[in-house]
Amino acid sequence: MITLNDKDTGAPKAYMSANLISSVRTGAIPGVGAKYLARPESEVVSLIGAGVIGRSCLYSLLDVLKQVKQVRIYDIFPESAERVCAEIQENYGVESIPVSSMEAAFKDADVVNFAVSGKDRPVVEPEWIKPGIYLSLPSKTHISPQLAKDSCIVLDNWPMYKDWCADLIDLPGGCIANNGLLGGYMMDYVHQGVLTEEDITSLGEIICGKRPGRTDDGQNIIFGMGGQPSYDVAWADTIYEKAKEIR
C-alpha cells in the first residue's frame, strides 16, 4: 500500500495499490535503459522470468525498441512463458517463442532482461553473450568478475550503492551475499580491486550527457537496477493527478 500525502500539510491524499505501481515503475526502468544503452536496431529480445515484473519489463522494452522481430521467454514454469508469449503476440504482433533454457534465450539475442526471484541466482555464462548485447538486470543475477571487466557497467544510481556498502561490506559474505543485485557485485568488485569506481556509470550521468553510454555496436552493456522509492512516489503522484482529471 502507498499512502500519498499532501506535501504541505502531510495529510493523506490517496491510498494506492503498491503492487501495481511498483511493478509498473520497476518494469519501466529497463526501457529507459534501452533508450540510451541498447542498439536501436535490436531485433531479438529475450526475457528470463515471466512473472508480473518480467512482463512489465518486456512491455517497456518493446515500447522503446521499434525493430524487434522476435521475443523469446524462459521461465522455470513453462506455462508462464507460454502465457506471456501469447499476450505479446496479441498486443504487439511480434513473434514470441517460449524456450526451454536460459542458453536458448541468449542465443543471438540483442537484449536480455532478467526478472527472477528465489534463493538461487541465475548464472550468465560469457560464451552465451552476443557481442553488443544490452543485458538488463532488475533482479539478482550472478555476474563473474571477468564478465564485469569485459563489459560496460551502468547502474541506476551508483552513489546509492556506495551508501549501502558502508553497512554491508563487513558482514559475512560481503555485499554480494547480502545484496545479490548487480550493484552488490560491483560494490565487492570495487572493494576487491577488480574494478574501480570510474568503471561504473550511473544512468543519470548518461542521460545528462556527463558520461558516454554506448560507444560502439560491439560493446556489451550490463545495466543493473536496485529500485528507488522516489520512483514509486513520482509515479503514484502522476496517477493521482491523472485520476483527478478524468474523474
Side-chain angles (χ1 to χ4, degrees):
M1 178 67 70
I2 290 177
T3 302
L4 194 63
N5 298 323
D6 186 280
K7 64 182 177 63
D8 296 318
T9 67
K13 297 194 299 184
Y15 297 104
M16 311 176 77
S17 169
N19 287 344
L20 180 59
I21 289 172
S22 186
S23 67
V24 171
R25 68 89 170 161
T26 301
I29 306 305
V32 177
K35 179 178 179 180
Y36 294 93
L37 305 174
R39 291 185 294 108
E41 67 275 14
S42 296
E43 295 184 348
V44 179
V45 172
S46 291
L47 179 66
I48 312 296
V52 173
I53 299 296
R55 185 170 67 249
S56 182
C57 293
L58 186 54
Y59 269 64
S60 75
L61 290 168
L62 292 176
D63 283 343
V64 170
L65 302 171
K66 301 300 186 181
Q67 297 188 39
V68 173
K69 296 180 180 178
Q70 185 183 87
V71 168
R72 299 186 197 140
I73 302 178
Y74 170 71
D75 195 282
I76 58 172
F77 300 105
E79 62 275 13
S80 296
E82 292 169 1
R83 183 169 58 250
V84 177
C85 279
E87 184 178 320
I88 295 301
Q89 188 86 42
E90 178 180 356
N91 291 336
Y92 285 89
V94 175
E95 180 186 24
S96 302
I97 304 171
V99 294
S100 59
S101 68
M102 286 201 301
E103 183 175 3
F106 266 88
K107 183 176 175 58
D108 297 324
D110 301 296
V111 175
V112 178
N113 183 91
F114 278 80
V116 300
S117 59
K119 179 181 178 181
D120 295 330
R121 299 171 190 171
V123 176
V124 177
E125 300 292 352
E127 61 267 23
W128 294 350
I129 291 178
K130 176 183 178 180
I133 196 171
Y134 165 58
L135 183 55
S136 169
L137 305 179
S139 66
K140 296 180 179 181
T141 310
H142 176 76
I143 299 296
S144 69
Q146 191 60 52
L147 180 56
K149 290 175 65 176
D150 292 342
S151 305
C152 172
I153 302 296
V154 180
L155 297 174
D156 49 353
N157 185 356
W158 173 234
M160 175 178 71
Y161 298 95
K162 290 169 63 177
D163 286 342
W164 289 354
C165 185
D167 297 323
L168 301 177
I169 195 66
D170 293 325
L171 295 178
C175 297
I176 291 175
N178 296 282
N179 180 326
L181 299 168
L182 182 65
Y185 281 81
M186 296 308 107
M187 287 186 282
D188 270 358
Y189 291 166
V190 168
H191 187 72
Q192 295 163 5
V194 175
L195 299 173
T196 69
E197 288 196 35
E198 283 301 307
D199 294 320
I200 300 169
T201 302
S202 291
L203 181 62
E205 295 178 293
I206 296 172
I207 294 174
C208 293
K210 294 181 178 180
R211 294 188 67 174
R214 177 174 293 278
T215 56
D216 64 73
D217 285 347
Q219 183 183 37
N220 298 332
I221 298 182
I222 306 178
F223 176 41
M225 294 141 269
Q228 299 177 67
S230 56
Y231 297 158
D232 296 86
V233 175
W235 183 227
D237 187 67
T238 299
I239 294 171
Y240 175 73
E241 294 299 328
K242 186 65 175 180
K244 289 198 302 181
E245 291 178 14
I246 63 177
R247 183 177 177 181

